[in-house]
Amino acid sequence: MNVWRPTADDIATSNVTALIERLGLEDYDELLAFSNAQPEHYWRTVVDFCGIVWDVDYHTYADLSAGKEFPKWFRGGQLNWVKTALKWADDPATVQQDAVVAEREDGSIQRVTYGELAQRVASFAAGLKAQGVKRGDRIGLLMENGVEATVTLLGIAWVGAVAVPLFSGFGVDAIVSRLSSCSARLLIATTGFSRRGKWVDTRKLVDEALTRLPDIDTVIWKRAAEPIHFDAKVLDWRAVADAQPDPAAERMSPEDPFMVIYTSGTTGKPKGAVHTHGGFPLKIAHDSAVHFNVKQGDVFCWPADMGWIAGSLVMSSALLRGATLVCYDGAPDFPDWSRMSRLIERHRITHFGSAPTLIRGLAANAGIAMQGDVSTVQLLITAGEGIDPEHFVWFQEAFGSGRRPVINYTGGTEVSGALLSSVVVRPIVPSGFNTASPSVEVDVVGPTGESLVDRIGELSVHAPFVGMTQSFWQDNERYLDSYWRTIPGIWVHGDLAMHREDGHWFMLGRSDDTIKLAGKRVGPAEIEEVLLELPEIAEAAAIGVDDAVKGQKLVVFVIQTAGSHVSPVELEQSLAKHVDGRLGRPFRPSAVHVVAQLPKTRSSKIMRRVIRSVYAGQPPGDLSSLDNPGALDDIRRAAGR
């Protein structure tokens, strides 16, 4: 059953239809086939459609002379992607339009127009140059979302330097490992921010990290009210930002990096994905137009930490398309669960994105959460992890007023934007994706690379694609091991997926989270969706645990719905009966543990890898992205440790 079907007006007014017409094609099916059969022609049209600003036009779409693992894009061209984001300042129709609206947790609001943003970026870039920042210098960025963080990231790219985003919840070791790995020479950081009404002091954390980072020769503080002693190596962000504007952006090759962003692996140190001026920004401009249907004058909000790929993705999705970016840097349930709907009402947001975990929290508190007017919403986005059909439909009904589509979107830090998503010219099914992203040859494959239909397999890509990481920072071997050597010649993404015969796609969790029960391979998301159908369960995580008899047994961790008074024993019985009826007796959990919280990243992804390791008494691996360390104690208690 389809949760949403496009109207004739949805189709006629969409960016996708405009792109189809520009390509001289008949419909979206033709566009999708054309994008893979003739990617050079497709991307030439996309670059023009999205208004990408080039200093020197490119002559070759892709150079594969170094192998498909190391493509070079848009050869011969020169550009600085920030010029595309700021071109709206040169247009009389948009120069006075709000570019960024930043709302703090305390309710204060800051606005800058496109004209003001362009001036601020040029001024901050000049201030960086005055400190000796050069092309290629790596600069750590540890700031809460808002106007200053937007100006900083754009300013770094403007001078040709390389941003290294850092999660605002990182500990000392995580900061040190990332900045030392890429030999960063400068750090731009906030002294602190408010979270649920309490001050989070980051200054002491950074000061400790700096004692272990000898390559850092300058720190620029975005300070709050507290005094700071400034000297030659410790500078005030506002002083740097007040420099005489430098209107000339550095001309960069499409292959020049503008960002190194780290993502945790299952094992080993974090991986530094390298993104370039001709990769990430062009992919996001494409996705914002094709998947999010963003147009000039729209108002785009998707609360995200600048330390993760979503921070840069959200910013670019709005600014590259001439929309207004609405930032919010506080807790989404502060002072209560109505904060998000009131944010939408206050700023007349048209495009709103949310992680599934937040959607579940909003749904569980719907009476309060929906007190704001959300009638301006035209399109919704969800990403970051799998979402069960019930909450997918709830999001569309509540925040989309039952009329607006929910765009499911999945890709990852290493690929910039979407591998799978949806478009507004096709029907959308609950929890699914109605298309592979155009010009990305996505497939679901078995162990030897054979294509699978209506069967679970590895999400993979058969050819290089715009937006894929250039490599890992100074670590080509690990990059090749991570993506290209599992099945030689195919990018294996590390996710389980299913491609149905009717054309819809579904994500079923990470492949290293795979559970094999009674000889059957199952993704944790499939089990969790069934568990979440029970009204007593607010959140769930499923893992496979080694068993001497069965090979693996299923263990689930659940958080009970607020107000639920069902005992753990009753809950386990109810859950077992429900799973028996929905999935069959072989999928009945061997153990059910009720916990107060599940380990998550700041972007609300449940860290099943960590749950499995801690429960089994093994080293938990990299915890730098863990937002709630106290959750590990619940897992240890469940394991009897």
Side-chain angles (χ1 to χ4, degrees):
M1 178 181 177
N2 295 318
V3 65
W4 183 82
R5 288 185 178 275
T7 65
D9 186 62
D10 291 326
I11 295 171
T13 61
S14 70
N15 288 328
V16 169
T17 295
L19 185 57
I20 290 169
E21 292 173 352
R22 187 170 297 202
L23 286 163
L25 303 174
E26 290 295 321
D27 55 26
Y28 183 75
D29 289 348
E30 279 198 14
L31 179 145
L32 189 60
F34 181 89
S35 70
N36 289 319
Q38 299 190 48
E40 183 169 359
H41 187 173
Y42 178 77
W43 272 98
R44 173 58 75 180
T45 306
V46 166
V47 162
D48 179 61
F49 184 82
C50 292
I52 303 301
V53 177
W54 295 87
D55 295 310
V56 177
D57 197 7
Y58 66 92
H59 55 66
T60 302
Y61 160 69
D63 176 357
L64 303 182
S65 59
K68 66 194 308 185
E69 301 89 349
F70 297 101
K72 294 180 173 59
W73 304 103
F74 308 109
R75 296 305 298 271
Q78 292 185 356
L79 79 166
N80 187 305
W81 76 269
V82 180
K83 294 178 73 171
T84 301
L86 299 181
K87 69 179 182 180
W88 311 101
D90 300 324
D91 186 341
T94 50
V95 64
Q96 295 301 321
Q97 176 189 312
D98 282 339
V100 184
V101 177
E103 180 170 315
R104 302 294 188 199
E105 193 178 71
D106 64 7
S108 60
I109 297 172
Q110 186 180 7
R111 299 175 181 271
V112 294
T113 65
Y114 270 103
E116 292 166 339
L117 180 63
Q119 189 276 334
R120 291 194 185 197
V121 170
S123 293
F124 189 74
L128 289 177
K129 283 188 174 181
Q131 300 307 315
V133 173
K134 306 182 298 299
R135 292 169 62 115
D137 283 347
R138 275 77 64 201
I139 300 177
L141 174 60
L142 178 60
M143 299 177 75
E144 72 277 31
N145 214 345
V147 172
E148 293 89 349
T150 302
V151 168
T152 300
L153 182 59
L154 295 176
I156 290 170
W158 187 264
V159 301
V162 181
V164 185
L166 300 166
F167 167 44
S168 59
F170 273 155
V172 174
D173 289 347
I175 294 172
V176 170
S177 67
R178 285 157 174 77
L179 296 184
S180 60
S181 171
C182 64
S183 303
R185 57 146 296 202
L186 189 146
L187 174 61
I188 304 172
T190 182
T191 58
F193 50 88
S194 179
R195 194 67 79 237
R196 290 189 171 85
K198 296 181 180 179
W199 184 250
V200 178
D201 184 3
T202 58
R203 185 178 168 190
K204 292 180 180 178
L205 185 77
V206 171
D207 283 342
E208 183 180 346
L210 291 172
T211 65
R212 297 162 53 187
L213 292 166
D215 290 339
I216 299 286
D217 57 40
T218 304
V219 179
I220 300 174
W221 285 107
K222 186 191 84 68
R223 62 188 174 94
E226 74 277 15
I228 293 178
H229 172 68
F230 295 106
D231 57 33
K233 291 188 176 183
V234 180
L235 307 172
D236 185 349
W237 187 92
R238 283 171 285 194
V240 175
D242 284 341
Q244 187 67 28
D246 179 1
E250 287 289 315
R251 286 189 175 189
M252 310 300 290
S253 161
E255 284 298 298
D256 284 334
F258 86 92
M259 178 169 64
V260 175
I261 184 161
Y262 286 84
T263 179
S264 296
T266 303
T267 59
K269 63 184 180 180
K271 305 171 292 188
V274 179
H275 288 302
T276 65
H277 280 260
F280 176 95
L282 272 65
K283 171 61 172 168
I284 300 308
H286 168 276
D287 286 8
S288 184
V290 171
H291 297 303
F292 302 156
N293 202 35
V294 177
K295 304 171 185 175
Q296 184 271 314
D298 286 337
V299 184
F300 192 98
C301 179
W302 181 353
D305 194 286
M306 289 299 290
W308 302 125
I309 195 70
S312 300
L313 185 155
V314 170
M315 181 192 72
S316 303
S317 293
L319 300 183
L320 289 168
R321 296 293 297 156
T324 295
L325 171 68
V326 175
C327 302
Y328 174 67
D329 75 330
D333 59 350
F334 186 85
D336 59 44
W337 278 102
S338 71
R339 187 63 183 255
M340 292 293 97
S341 65
R342 295 190 188 281
L343 187 78
I344 291 170
E345 177 181 5
R346 195 155 35 247
H347 303 296
R348 300 190 61 78
I349 290 165
T350 60
H351 292 61
F352 181 69
S354 174
T357 297
L358 175 57
I359 293 170
R360 290 192 289 270
L362 293 164
N365 297 274
I368 299 173
M370 300 313 301
Q371 289 180 355
D373 180 3
V374 298
S375 61
T376 58
V377 170
Q378 298 174 12
L379 181 142
L380 298 162
I381 306 164
T382 185
E385 62 175 328
I387 182 169
D388 60 280
E390 177 187 354
H391 289 98
F392 187 97
V393 172
W394 180 88
F395 193 39
Q396 193 245 325
E397 292 293 330
F399 276 81
S401 303
R403 304 184 307 276
R404 305 305 184 189
V406 178
I407 302 298
N408 210 354
Y409 187 82
T410 188
T413 300
E414 301 91 332
V415 299
S416 301
L419 298 181
L420 302 174
S421 190
S422 290
V423 289
V424 298
V425 298
R426 281 180 164 181
I428 298 171
V429 299
S431 304
F433 309 83
N434 67 17
T435 183
S437 193
S439 195
V440 185
E441 292 188 38
V442 181
D443 197 3
V444 174
V445 302
T448 60
E450 71 278 14
S451 295
L452 304 177
V453 177
D454 284 334
R455 293 165 59 194
I456 297 173
E458 292 275 1
L459 186 68
S460 63
V461 187
H462 286 285
F465 52 97
V466 173
M468 59 186 277
T469 180
Q470 187 182 67
S471 184
F472 297 154
W473 183 260
Q474 297 182 342
D475 198 347
N476 287 346
E477 286 301 308
R478 192 176 184 204
Y479 160 69
L480 292 170
D481 284 342
S482 296
Y483 295 107
W484 292 101
R485 288 173 173 161
T486 302
I487 304 174
I490 297 177
W491 173 293
V492 178
H493 196 56
D495 284 310
L496 294 175
M498 178 186 290
H499 187 198
R500 284 196 333 208
E501 191 171 4
D502 64 6
H504 293 282
W505 305 73
F506 294 87
M507 296 294 290
L508 299 166
R510 295 291 294 175
S511 54
D512 54 15
D513 291 332
T514 302
I515 305 166
K516 196 166 188 178
L517 304 170
K520 300 177 179 65
R521 192 167 71 162
V522 61
E526 188 173 357
I527 296 167
E528 290 160 7
E529 286 180 3
V530 172
L531 301 181
L532 289 167
E533 292 171 354
L534 291 171
E536 300 87 359
I537 297 178
E539 295 187 54
I543 64 169
V545 177
D546 290 343
D547 182 86
V549 177
K550 299 179 180 179
Q552 273 197 325
K553 60 182 179 181
L554 175 63
V555 177
V556 300
F557 299 81
V558 298
I559 297 174
Q560 286 187 256
T561 307
S564 172
H565 300 295
V566 177
S567 71
V569 173
E570 292 172 321
L571 181 63
E572 184 169 357
Q573 292 172 346
S574 173
L575 187 151
K577 182 178 179 181
H578 183 65
V579 172
D580 278 1
R582 293 284 282 106
L583 294 177
R585 190 176 182 85
F587 297 96
R588 175 185 287 193
S590 296
V592 177
H593 299 289
V594 179
V595 294
Q597 54 181 332
L598 295 168
K600 295 177 185 175
T601 66
R602 177 65 180 279
S603 56
S604 298
K605 291 183 182 179
I606 295 173
M607 301 182 74
R608 298 183 189 87
R609 166 184 60 83
V610 173
I611 296 174
R612 188 170 59 249
S613 297
V614 171
Y615 189 80
Q618 299 171 350
D622 178 24
L623 297 178
S624 58
S625 58
L626 178 64
D627 188 42
N628 53 340
L632 301 185
D633 293 332
D634 281 6
I635 306 303
R636 293 187 183 99
R637 281 192 289 271
R641 294 186 176 85

